[in-house]
Amino acid sequence: SSARLGSPLQVRATLAGVPDATLALDVLPAAPSVIAPFAPTGTASDTQIFAGEDVGYTYAVTDVYGNDVEFPIIVTVNNPSAVVLDDGLSGTGLIIGLTRSSATAYQITARIPGAGVVRSFGMTVDPASGDRFVTLIPSVATMATGDSVVLAAVVRDLYGNVLSGASVSFSVDT
C-alpha cells in the first residue's frame, strides 16, 4: 500500500488471538532526479530579449516518482555580465545584466549538485531598443583640398552592441 508524500503510512500486522501491532511510517521523497519544468517566464518566454531586459524563470525539483523535493539547484549563465538571483529552492529565479547581444543563444543551465541532472534553455539577446549612438570613422585624419575620404559609421545601442543594417546618411556642412 502507498500513502501520499508527507502523510504517515499506517502498517498493521495481525495474528489471530494476539493484539495487532501497528506502525506509522513517514513517506519521504526519493533522491532528487528531475528538474522540470525549467523555463523562462514573462517577456523572455519566447527565449529572446533585448539587451538590458531581465530573464525570469521557474523550475521544480522532483524525485523519479514526481514528488517535489526540497533540494538546492545551481543556475549558471555563459554570459560574463549576467548575475543570477536565485535561492536555489523557491522555484523561481531572475537573471539580470544580460547586456551583451549575441547571434548565438546564451545557455542558462540548472543542475542538481552531485546528481548529474542538468536542464538548460537558450536565450538570444538582441541589441537594446531606445537610444542609439553613431560613431563616424574617417579613413584619414586630415585631407587636402580635392582629396577623397572614405567614411564609415557604426551604430550602437546604449550597451555598446553594434546594430547591423542601420541606415545612416552622410552630409557635409559648408
Side-chain angles (χ1 to χ4, degrees):
S1 175
S2 64
R4 280 190 351 216
L5 185 66
S7 63
L9 178 64
Q10 298 295 327
V11 179
R12 179 180 311 275
T14 58
L15 178 64
V18 178
D20 291 350
T22 59
L23 176 65
L25 296 173
D26 287 329
V27 179
L28 300 176
S33 60
V34 177
I35 302 172
F38 179 57
T41 60
T43 59
S45 62
D46 64 356
T47 66
Q48 187 166 1
I49 62 167
F50 291 108
E53 290 182 342
D54 298 336
V55 175
Y57 58 88
T58 59
Y59 59 89
V61 177
T62 63
D63 65 14
V64 69
Y65 305 106
N67 297 309
D68 289 336
V69 179
E70 283 197 22
F71 195 89
I73 68 166
I74 296 172
V75 175
T76 57
V77 183
N78 67 335
N79 179 319
S81 65
V83 176
V84 177
L85 304 173
D86 189 341
D87 64 5
L89 291 169
S90 65
T92 61
L94 185 68
I95 299 168
I96 62 173
L98 287 170
T99 57
R100 295 168 58 183
S101 65
S102 174
T104 57
Y106 291 107
Q107 289 301 305
I108 300 170
T109 304
R111 64 182 174 86
I112 300 174
V117 177
V118 176
R119 291 284 302 250
S120 65
F121 60 85
M123 184 61 58
T124 302
V125 179
D126 293 329
S129 59
D131 293 337
R132 302 286 190 245
F133 302 93
V134 178
T135 304
L136 191 57
I137 305 166
S139 60
V140 293
T142 59
M143 64 182 276
T145 302
D147 285 350
S148 295
V149 175
V150 177
L151 296 172
V154 177
V155 180
R156 298 179 185 276
D157 69 6
L158 70 140
Y159 300 106
N161 297 306
V162 174
L163 282 81
S164 60
S167 178
V168 176
S169 60
F170 297 91
S171 63
V172 178
D173 292 336
T174 55

